[in-house]
Amino acid sequence: MPAKHKVQKMLKKIKAFLDSDYREQVARKEKILDVLKRLKKRTKAIERQLAAQEEGADNTALLDELELIKAQRKKAIKVIKSIKEEHSQS
């Protein structure tokens, strides 16, 4: 008889196969994770630019962009958490 863990794993695979909404959410989560990685790289690049530059108008624009990116990252993380909660409740 298969172990309990193996049975649960098989059930998850069957559910994923039958539930197209689940597959769409997984694909959406993967895309969001990719965007998060790119935003993190952009955040680090802006921080390097800020460290290299002196005070001025360029700093203000970079700081504004940095705040916008941080807000977008927080939003994306909330979406990922909600997707995870939906999967755990199912």
Side-chain angles (χ1 to χ4, degrees):
M1 181 179 278
K4 182 179 177 183
H5 179 66
K6 287 184 180 182
V7 171
Q8 288 177 343
K9 190 174 179 180
M10 288 188 290
L11 287 173
K12 282 184 182 180
K13 285 182 181 181
I14 291 171
K15 179 182 177 188
F17 178 73
L18 297 175
D19 190 9
S20 63
D21 187 45
Y22 173 80
R23 285 183 275 163
E24 290 172 4
Q25 286 181 344
V26 169
R28 182 176 173 211
K29 180 181 168 186
E30 289 173 0
K31 288 178 185 177
I32 291 172
L33 288 173
D34 182 49
V35 170
L36 277 172
K37 287 178 187 177
R38 286 189 277 146
L39 287 174
K40 189 171 190 173
K41 287 180 184 179
R42 180 67 184 142
T43 300
K44 288 184 179 189
I46 291 172
E47 288 173 349
R48 285 191 302 268
Q49 287 177 348
L50 284 170
Q53 286 184 348
E54 295 178 13
E55 293 293 322
D58 290 338
N59 273 359
T60 306
L62 288 174
L63 288 171
D64 289 343
E65 186 178 355
L66 186 62
E67 291 302 316
L68 179 65
I69 290 173
K70 286 182 180 181
Q72 290 173 337
R73 283 183 47 86
K74 285 181 184 180
K75 235 180 182 178
I77 290 170
K78 284 182 184 180
V79 170
I80 289 174
K81 285 182 181 180
S82 69
I83 290 172
K84 283 183 181 180
E85 287 175 4
E86 288 177 19
H87 291 295
S88 66
Q89 291 176 357
S90 301

